[in-house]
Amino acid sequence: KDNDHNRDIAKFMHEHHDFLLLSLQECKDTVEELTKERSEMTAEVKKLLDAVSKKKKHLAKFRTDRRSEKESLYCKIDMILGEYDILRAEYHGGDLTGGHVKILMKKASQIMEQIAACLDKYKSDRCELSKEEIEAKCGEFSKLLTSWNAVLSEVHKVEPEEEDFVRSAKLVGIALKLHRGMGLSITPKGHDVEDHLVKQMRAVPGGLFDFDESWGEQLHQSGSSNDQRLRNQKSEAKKAVSLLATDRRNNLTETQSACEKVKADHTGSKRELTR
């Protein structure tokens, strides 16, 4: 049977020899064309990436130079914010942290009024906006910040009722309508607020008053140590249970009191304290 099978294969190869050679050559030609095309595309992509990298470096230098100038608008606006104790956090990428954002939202009207006056007074000769247009644009940001402040105010209510849920949904809609109307991008957090905030207010007993920015920041800071502690645990479900149990235990009044007592009584090194 094997000999018959081999003869059949040999006969097929003999009868279709020219066709197979032609097909093989066509395949080789196709591979060569694709390889050449890939090389050209790779070179083009590298060229574009190099161009993007140069532009980014140029932009970073421009921003650094602009921020370093004492008379720049960037610094003048920072000085206005500083009057309200709103400061950029170096560890937060130069952005505002939650507590400072709250101040900005709460006092948005007067802050944006000062910023509008500053922008008009020190605007560049190339700026084509009139004083009224600058004030109108800053006014839009003031309304937007005030709207988000109203949303957070509703979210921080203890034991919210049905009328609070309805009001929160309405305020979220107003804030996001202003956001989109100004042409600003909606971040994932914005989408979460739009789709899930009111649902979570209804679902979580007592409301979301305790789950504010400081709570989120605390989770960021403790996340690294928790990841290190659970690095060998393969089950994501068990990781989640352990994380929640640890977080709850660490936030109990009894635990915090005990930790403070240990710190107060301890006189040795920090390394000994962690044992």
Side-chain angles (χ1 to χ4, degrees), residues 28-44:
K28 288 182 178 180
D29 293 341
T30 301
V31 170
E32 288 180 2
E33 290 178 4
L34 292 174
T35 302
K36 182 180 179 181
E37 184 177 351
R38 184 183 66 177
S39 300
E40 292 175 351
M41 292 177 67
T42 301
E44 183 66 20

Side-chain angles (χ1 to χ4, degrees), residues 10 70 186 212:
K70 293 183 179 179
I186 306 295
D212 59 2

Side-chain angles (χ1 to χ4, degrees), residues 201-218:
M201 288 177 68
R202 293 178 185 273
V204 177
L208 302 176
F209 67 95
D210 235 1
F211 300 88
D212 59 2
E213 181 71 16
S214 58
W215 173 78
E217 287 298 328
Q218 185 180 18

